[in-house]
């Protein structure tokens, strides 16, 4: 069976070039970069090169790059490492639509006695910057707001937010895990103090992440251990993965233009055709300020897990914000925060593309999805009720 | 990915008996769009009062569709007395088992069957006094008690898997815990649950109590789901209301009215209250 992989916000294929540069570090070059001998030293040199590539990709200095084990660790380290440096400040600001790597840390801190402000979003998934302005206090230790939403692709105006937050001298972090590789990032021109990146969202393997920490930012290590990463993250460097991430960032920089032209055109084509061919379909989130690769669509009166399994039966891999897919009973917190009605929230499907997708694959989805939705609507008691209410049946 | 059995996959990909019977002998509907799954069951009996034809329509995930399909296959050819004995566990067993988190799909099948049989027998589904425990998913104490008894449930988490109760905001967890404790004690003793007693009211007391109950118990819960309700009139035991907001076009409004509004009023005011909707 043909596999059409359009779930790149979940994880991505490791680029063949990335895998290739990693392999020698599993076998020949197994030295510890911290060692004094030549055998470790040659590895140290390659880690430095990789760090420089990651820094170049983010418009940062190599010394501002801290390698972590994953995006979740980067997010945890950013929040907990900042709060630990500002123990007198007991207030954290975030949003209602963050990834659990931020959202559940905020909940945890709330239980620990911190005051947590979760900014709301409107029907299009956008923030109200006045709400942010009003939330900032002298007690605020950190503002952490995601760059791009993983479910809808909606982009927050991070630089505008940065102006507001930094005017008050408050540390500012963003989870840029979905944004990195899809939109240009330049820390030299940014107001951000910290930024999280995950390797496996940009064609590096799972198990490697980055926390960018601007020079001069107060930060206490989250992973306490050796002197590695200039004392900001203990633990022997995950050398093969760091080398792989360096290559992945080099490629991501090169492919940024393609993401915003060819991939965006494929996404727009898929979105337009699905809206055209399937009645009672709506796009979730701001369609203008959005990642080029993501579309979240809701098909009214049907349920997401059923759609996914029928798609999966045809080799199409997507994801859903429906309740049933997550094992929870409520639809995604993102769609609920946006106020997407229940008729649509349970039937949401996210397609997230990458540079490996083709027009033929979009046509395959466009051909097979409409009959799947029709089939499930024929089983759904609400579809006929709806048609009747519209005088169509 | 869920670990579904081949039988679940088969009944999901090739559901049996999909549709709605015109002029059915019995019809039952449970669940709602808001809850994420719903099942409408219709059946017709033959001259020997056996289920001759049965059809379903389901909105929900793969296991909800498969459970509905399995239910129709199980009850076909049975008398209503035989069918009434079907438990949610029978449905799950027929499918070779369901992931525990998905057991509520089998419970939904059983509840729709109960509702359809009650409908055929002309019984009001709200015959017993019951209280909505979980406002997020509109689950009553009756459903929780039944699930605990039939499936030997021990924890709140299990109750959530089987009935959805407690799967939303979590505020009802202490209430669910109390029900589990009570039911398990009764199961040990083998005693049926006692019914609450109500005193006789004057007309004025009754009207006042109806208004109070609507304002305190019912309208806030409907508003939480984007709905609302206006009291139009009270004629003897008949309470006339108009549904507003989301409720006015919710396909399960009839269900809300009978299962929720009427049962609440019966619980707090009087056993013989009947709620009727006044259409604008």
């Amino acid at each position: 069976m043909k596999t059409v992989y359009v779930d790149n916000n979940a994880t991505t294929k490791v680029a063949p070039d990335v895998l290739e540069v990693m392999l020698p570090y599993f076998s020949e070059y197994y030295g510890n970069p911290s060692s004094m001998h030549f055998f470790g030293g040659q590895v140290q040199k390659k880690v430095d090169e990789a760090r420089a590539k990651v820094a170049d990709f983010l418009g940062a200095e190599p010394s501002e790059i801290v390698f972590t084990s994953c995006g979740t660790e980067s997010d945890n380290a950013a929040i907990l490492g900042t709060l630990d440096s500002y123990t007198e400040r007991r207030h954290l600001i975030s949003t209602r639509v963050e990834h659990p790597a931020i959202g559940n840390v905020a909940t945890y801190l709330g239980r620990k006695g911190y005051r947590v402000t979760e900014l709301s979003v409107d029907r299009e998934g956008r923030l109200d910057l006045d709400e942010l302005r009003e939330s900032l206090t002298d007690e605020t230790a950190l503002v952490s707001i995601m760059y791009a939403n993983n479910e809808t692709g909606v982009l927050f105006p991070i630089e505008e937010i940065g102006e507001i937050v930094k005017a008050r001298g408050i540390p500012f972090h963003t989870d840029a895990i979905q944004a990195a590789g899809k939109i240009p990032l330049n820390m030299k021109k940014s107001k951000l103090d910290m930024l999280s990146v995950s390797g496996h969202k940009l064609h590096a393997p799972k198990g490697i992440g980055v926390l960018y920490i601007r020079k001069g930012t107060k930060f206490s290590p989250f992973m306490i251990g050796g002197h590695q990463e200039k004392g900001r993250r203990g633990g022997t460097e995950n050398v093969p993965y760091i080398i792989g991430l360096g290559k992945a960032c080099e490629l991501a920089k090169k492919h940024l233009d393609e993401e915003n032209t060819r991939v965006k055109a494929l996404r727009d084509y898929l979105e337009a055709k699905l809206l055209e061919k399937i009645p009672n379909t709506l796009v979730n989130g701001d369609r203008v300020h959005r990642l080029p690769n993501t579309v979240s669509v809701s098909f009214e009166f049907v349920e997401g897990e059923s759609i996914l399994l029928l798609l999966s039966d045809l080799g199409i891999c997507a994801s859903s914000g429906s309740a049933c897919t997550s094992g929870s009973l409520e639809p995604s917190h993102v769609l609920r925060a946006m106020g997407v009605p229940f008729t649509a929230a349970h039937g949401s499907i996210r397609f997230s593309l990458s540079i490996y997708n083709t027009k033929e694959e979009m046509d395959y989805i466009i051909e097979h999805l409409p009959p799947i939705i029709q089939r499930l609507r024929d089983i759904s008691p609400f579809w006929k009720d709806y048609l009747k209410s519209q005088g169509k049946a | 990915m869920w670990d579904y059995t081949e039988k679940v996959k088969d009944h999901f990909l090739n559901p049996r008996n999909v549709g709605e019977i015109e002029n059915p002998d019995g019809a039952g509907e449970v669940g709602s769009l808001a809850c994420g799954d719903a099942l409408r069951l219709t059946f017709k009996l033959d001259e020997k009062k056996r289920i001759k034809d049965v059809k379903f329509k389901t909105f929900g995930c793969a296991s909800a569709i498969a459970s509905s399909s399995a239910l129709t296959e199980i009850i076909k050819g049975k008398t209503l007395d035989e069918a009434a004995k079907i438990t949610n566990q029978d449905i799950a067993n027929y499918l070779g088992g369901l992931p525990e988190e998905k057991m509520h799909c089998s419970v939904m099948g059983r509840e729709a069957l109960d509702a359809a049989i009650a409908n055929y027998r002309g019984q009001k589904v709200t015959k017993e006094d019951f209280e909505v425990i979980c406002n997020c998913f509109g689950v009553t104490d009756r459903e929780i008690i039944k699930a605990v008894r039939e499936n030997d449930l021990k924890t709140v988490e299990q109750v959530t898997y089987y009935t959805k109760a407690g799967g939303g905001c979590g505020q009802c967890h202490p209430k669910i815990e109390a029900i589990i404790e009570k039911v398990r004690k009764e199961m040990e003793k083998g005693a049926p649950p006692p019914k609450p007693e109500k005193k006789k009211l004057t007309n004025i007391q009754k009207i006042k109590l109806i208004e109070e109950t609507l304002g305190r118990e019912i309208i806030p819960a409907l508003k939480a789901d984007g709905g609302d309700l206006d009291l139009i009139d009270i004629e003897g035991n008949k309470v006339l209301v108009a549904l507003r907001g989301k409720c006015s076009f919710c396909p399960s409004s009839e269900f809300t009215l009978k299962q929720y509004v009427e049962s609440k009023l019966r619980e707090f005011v009087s056993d013989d209250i009947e709620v009727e909707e006044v259409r604008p």
Side-chain angles (χ1 to χ4, degrees):
Chain A
M1 186 175 63
K2 183 183 164 78
T3 300
V4 174
Y5 188 80
V6 278
D7 199 12
N8 288 280
N9 289 9
T11 194
T12 60
K13 168 185 172 158
V14 175
D17 288 356
V18 168
L19 179 64
E20 199 191 318
V21 299
M22 289 173 69
L23 291 176
Y25 297 88
F26 288 107
S27 48
E28 277 174 78
Y29 302 110
Y30 56 83
N32 186 328
S34 301
S35 298
M36 278 301 121
H37 43 67
F38 79 94
F39 197 67
Q42 63 189 1
V43 174
Q44 176 68 55
K45 211 169 143 245
K46 290 293 174 186
V47 168
D48 288 344
E49 279 176 31
R51 195 184 302 279
K53 282 177 186 168
V54 175
D56 179 53
F57 169 63
L58 296 175
E61 294 295 327
S63 63
E64 295 173 322
I65 302 300
V66 174
F67 290 114
T68 65
S69 66
C70 61
T72 295
E73 188 197 320
S74 299
D75 283 345
N76 272 258
I79 295 181
L80 301 175
T82 303
L83 295 184
D84 205 27
S85 305
Y86 293 90
T87 45
E88 74 291 356
R89 300 192 194 175
R90 306 285 291 173
H91 179 220
L92 171 73
I93 298 177
S94 189
T95 76
R96 289 178 62 191
V97 296
E98 297 294 315
H99 186 276
I102 296 287
N104 284 344
V105 178
T107 307
Y108 162 81
L109 289 167
R111 281 203 307 271
K112 292 273 171 190
Y114 278 85
R115 193 161 71 81
V116 177
T117 303
E118 291 188 330
L119 303 173
S120 54
V121 294
D122 66 10
R123 186 68 179 76
E124 302 290 306
R126 294 172 301 209
L127 290 172
D128 173 1
L129 296 189
D130 285 333
E131 191 190 353
L132 168 68
R133 281 188 195 94
E134 286 156 18
S135 304
L136 298 169
T137 70
D138 295 337
E139 283 285 288
T140 309
L142 178 70
V143 175
S144 177
I145 293 178
M146 70 196 323
Y147 215 121
N149 188 273
N150 46 310
E151 291 188 26
T152 59
V154 170
L155 290 163
F156 285 149
I158 287 299
E159 290 313 324
E160 209 180 320
I161 294 168
E163 296 282 349
I164 297 167
V165 174
K166 293 315 291 179
R168 297 283 300 261
I170 297 166
F172 181 35
H173 165 256
T174 188
D175 172 338
I177 288 166
Q178 295 297 346
K182 292 162 198 159
I183 55 162
L185 297 171
N186 186 353
M187 293 305 104
K188 286 197 181 69
K189 290 186 177 162
S190 172
K191 291 282 178 191
L192 281 160
D193 295 309
M194 284 174 289
L195 170 141
S196 302
V197 173
S198 169
H200 76 106
K201 310 287 193 197
L202 42 81
H203 305 291
K206 295 149 196 75
I208 184 76
V210 169
L211 179 62
Y212 159 84
I213 308 174
R214 183 178 297 280
K215 204 178 274 176
T217 304
K218 276 171 93 176
F219 178 81
S220 307
F222 168 65
M223 188 82 94
I224 299 168
H227 61 278
Q228 293 91 351
E229 305 298 306
K230 296 191 187 299
R232 293 167 300 184
R233 201 265 185 189
T236 299
E237 296 86 344
N238 185 1
V239 174
Y241 287 71
I242 290 172
I243 306 289
L245 182 62
K247 185 70 185 177
C249 285
E250 184 188 320
L251 293 173
K253 190 179 175 185
K254 212 165 81 186
H255 291 142
L256 199 54
D257 189 45
E258 187 181 350
E259 287 276 359
N260 286 281
T261 52
R262 192 182 67 82
V263 175
K264 183 174 185 291
L266 286 182
R267 189 274 314 268
D268 291 343
Y269 173 67
L270 175 66
E271 176 180 292
K273 285 288 175 189
L274 293 181
L275 287 171
E276 175 196 315
K277 286 180 181 288
I278 306 173
N280 296 77
T281 299
L282 44 117
V283 174
N284 297 311
D286 184 342
R287 289 166 74 175
V288 180
H289 302 101
R290 186 166 52 149
L291 291 174
N293 78 319
T294 307
V295 57
S296 165
V297 274
S298 280
F299 306 103
E300 287 190 295
F301 310 109
V302 289
E303 196 280 325
E305 184 202 283
S306 295
I307 304 170
L308 287 187
L309 291 183
L310 291 172
L311 282 173
S312 174
D313 215 42
L314 296 163
I316 301 169
C317 311
S319 73
S320 168
S322 94
C324 291
T325 51
S326 60
S328 85
L329 292 168
E330 296 195 314
S332 106
H333 70 287
V334 176
L335 300 182
R336 275 186 293 144
M338 290 163 62
V340 174
F342 280 115
T343 44
H346 287 288
S348 78
I349 298 290
R350 176 189 71 187
F351 296 103
S352 46
L353 281 55
S354 82
I355 51 161
Y356 294 104
N357 288 120
T358 63
K359 170 139 187 309
E360 287 67 40
E361 290 178 328
M362 300 305 113
D363 285 327
Y364 185 74
I365 300 169
I366 292 159
E367 182 192 341
H368 287 100
L369 188 51
I372 286 175
I373 301 299
Q374 193 52 52
R375 173 175 169 179
L376 291 172
R377 281 180 175 166
D378 288 342
I379 302 179
S380 167
F382 301 124
W383 179 241
K384 204 173 157 196
D385 290 352
Y386 166 77
L387 290 180
K388 266 188 198 158
S389 75
Q390 300 292 304
K392 290 177 190 166
Chain B
M1 217 174 158
W2 295 111
D3 188 14
Y4 286 135
T5 63
E6 286 307 313
K7 198 113 190 232
V8 172
K9 283 181 206 159
D10 176 39
H11 276 263
F12 166 60
L13 293 173
N14 311 294
R16 303 359 173 219
N17 309 309
V18 174
E20 266 178 83
I21 295 172
E22 298 271 325
N23 307 315
D25 291 329
E29 179 162 342
V30 291
S32 74
L33 262 173
C35 295
D37 48 21
L39 166 52
R40 185 178 296 165
L41 192 73
T42 47
F43 67 76
K44 245 191 161 36
L45 300 177
D46 63 15
E47 60 284 357
K48 287 179 188 152
K49 299 289 178 198
R50 286 184 178 276
I51 296 171
K52 181 175 72 180
D53 196 9
V54 53
K55 292 211 182 302
F56 81 90
K57 278 209 167 177
T58 291
F59 159 77
C61 58
S63 53
I65 291 170
S67 294
S68 310
S69 169
L71 169 70
T72 59
E73 289 287 279
I74 294 170
I75 63 172
K76 220 180 226 184
K78 287 199 166 40
T79 66
L80 294 186
D81 284 341
E82 287 165 352
K85 293 198 184 95
I86 303 291
T87 65
N88 69 284
Q89 202 61 52
D90 293 329
I91 299 170
N93 290 346
Y94 183 88
L95 291 167
L98 285 171
E100 194 172 30
E101 294 91 331
K102 295 282 192 175
M103 283 301 286
H104 59 84
C105 297
S106 66
V107 173
M108 178 170 77
R110 213 272 330 280
E111 302 240 311
L113 175 61
D114 283 356
I117 293 175
N119 169 262
Y120 168 76
R121 290 177 172 162
Q123 294 163 335
K124 290 257 162 64
V125 192
T126 52
K127 220 165 176 189
E128 295 153 88
D129 293 294
F130 51 74
E131 178 194 358
V132 173
I133 300 292
C134 167
N135 281 317
C136 295
F137 291 103
V139 187
T140 64
D141 56 352
R142 184 190 65 98
E143 292 163 82
I144 296 171
I145 290 167
K146 200 162 181 186
V148 171
R149 280 182 181 277
E150 288 183 357
N151 298 284
D152 191 25
L153 306 182
K154 296 184 176 74
T155 64
V156 174
E157 191 180 39
Q158 282 181 316
V159 168
T160 305
Y161 291 159
Y162 280 73
T163 66
K164 289 190 165 194
C169 69
Q171 274 180 12
C172 61
H173 285 192
K175 278 188 178 175
I176 297 175
E177 238 163 67
I179 292 176
I180 296 172
E181 200 181 322
K182 195 165 152 231
V183 173
R184 296 200 68 85
K185 262 190 198 149
E186 285 163 10
M187 282 162 74
E188 280 163 26
K189 287 188 214 145
K195 285 196 169 188
E197 278 181 37
K198 289 189 189 79
K199 53 180 190 284
K200 197 100 184 106
L201 299 169
T202 68
N203 265 341
I204 291 173
Q205 281 175 324
K206 187 191 278 177
I207 291 169
K208 226 177 134 195
L209 196 54
I210 289 171
E211 281 183 329
E212 274 174 20
T213 308
L214 284 173
R216 188 185 65 234
E217 299 287 327
I218 297 168
I219 291 172
L222 296 180
K223 279 189 172 163
D225 272 345
D228 201 356
L229 171 151
D230 284 336
L231 178 62
I232 304 295
D233 203 357
I234 299 170
E235 300 169 358
N237 291 326
K238 222 182 262 177
V239 179
L240 304 174
V241 299
L243 290 172
R244 307 280 188 224
K246 255 196 197 166
C247 292
S248 57
F249 49 84
C250 177
S252 45
S253 64
E254 175 76 24
F255 184 77
T256 306
L257 213 57
K258 288 285 166 194
Q259 290 268 7
Y260 186 64
V261 181
E262 191 173 275
S263 74
K264 273 280 176 208
L265 289 175
R266 286 181 177 196
E267 182 188 344
F268 286 97
V269 186
S270 168
D271 288 331
D272 50 8
I273 293 279
E274 278 187 39
V275 175
E276 272 185 26
E277 188 184 357
V278 186
R279 291 274 179 188

